[in-house]
Amino acid sequence: MAQLDRSNLMAHFREMVAKGQPIIGGGAGTGISAKCEEAGGIDLIVIYNSGRYRMAGRASSAGLLAYGNANQIVQEMALEVLPVVKHTPVLAGVNGTDPFVIMPKLLRELKDLGFSGVQNFPTVGLIDGTFRISLEETGITYADEVEMIRLAHEMDMLTTPYVFSAEEAVAMTEVGADIIVAHMGVTVGGTIGATSGKSLDESVQLIDEWAAAARAVREDVLVLCHGGPIATPEDAAYVMRKSQHCNGFYGASSMERLPTEIALTDQIRQFKAIS
């Protein structure tokens, strides 16, 4: 597929927001996921390493662990996904803390492959406690992810980073992020989803706090919600109704894992019910 121009994409997204239309993005761990998402009218697609694990029946959080080279996996997945997507912008999940890549070179390679933009994943933003402190103290930092987004912005790539606090929302907006994605944690539900987390109302409050902080830096930054208790279309609709600042929803498990689990299980039950 041809790479899509960032300025045109953002003009389109802002027009959607002005009309009150939600921006809907989704992760694609397989070619068929991307193909179906595009057929359904999705606005943007993201390929990142968790998609491979998720569609292999493992938890999305596997993408944070040392089961494979995240940036290499994305480039491999691109060969499966990009050829079947005809007109939807596709973004790459980039591990911004990877010390074994020359980041400008990696971003150029992703752009040449046909990616229209990037997202920061795997991200240390999902890690907290003593381990997070140790990572930050030893040079594996969220600031590296901010720098990756800055470089991508300078290369005129669409940037949609995950943020986990008001401070991170500000940092990403300051370096030119087009869309910040307020991450509420690993998606709940299904056979391999999380079983604990924030409530929908708590999520609304955090999304609005982080969005307000970002828009104090730059008013034109757009805001999507993701993860945690926001797992179904009804959940996303509730959040967008209650939120003052949310412009849409980005789903990964919500877009491919949960629908697959439900559809396949139901289909097999129907076959088994034949008498």
Side-chain angles (χ1 to χ4, degrees), residues 13-200:
F13 291 148
R14 291 193 178 103
E15 183 179 355
M16 289 179 63
V17 170
K19 292 178 178 178
Q21 300 171 345
I23 300 164
I24 304 298
T30 66
I32 192 65
S33 297
K35 200 170 189 176
C36 292
E37 287 171 355
E38 183 168 62
I42 205 162
D43 298 304
L44 59 90
I45 293 170
V46 185
I47 304 175
Y48 56 98
N49 72 326
S50 271
R52 169 167 289 181
Y53 300 119
R54 181 166 49 243
M55 299 310 286
R58 275 68 175 180
S60 297
S61 52
L64 297 171
L65 298 175
Y67 302 142
N69 183 312
N71 290 323
Q72 182 179 334
I73 287 170
V74 167
Q75 290 174 299
E76 292 169 357
M77 292 170 70
L79 302 180
E80 178 179 345
V81 174
L82 289 175
V84 302
V85 178
K86 303 305 180 185
H87 55 76
T88 307
V90 181
L91 281 64
V94 176
N95 184 354
T97 64
D98 187 342
F100 298 102
V101 300
I102 300 168
M103 192 55 68
K105 179 176 181 291
L106 174 63
L107 294 175
R108 282 195 297 271
E109 290 173 356
L110 294 172
K111 193 170 184 178
D112 289 343
L113 274 172
F115 284 103
S116 297
V118 298
Q119 186 174 58
N120 57 325
F121 195 91
T123 170
V124 297
L126 281 168
I127 301 170
D128 58 13
T130 303
F131 185 39
R132 174 66 179 274
I133 293 170
S134 296
L135 290 173
E136 295 280 345
E137 288 178 347
T138 54
I140 302 172
T141 72
Y142 189 82
D144 294 328
E145 300 175 28
V146 175
E147 173 64 9
M148 181 274 290
I149 293 295
R150 184 190 68 79
L151 289 170
H153 175 72
E154 289 186 352
M155 295 173 64
D156 205 31
M157 300 179 80
L158 186 72
T159 53
T160 67
Y162 282 136
V163 301
F164 304 85
S165 69
E167 293 76 18
E168 291 171 357
V170 166
M172 285 297 190
T173 306
E174 286 177 339
V175 297
D178 299 300
I179 300 171
I180 60 170
V181 183
H183 200 306
M184 297 294 108
V186 176
T187 302
V188 302
T191 60
I192 52 174
T195 58
S196 62
K198 305 172 180 67
S199 70
L200 285 174

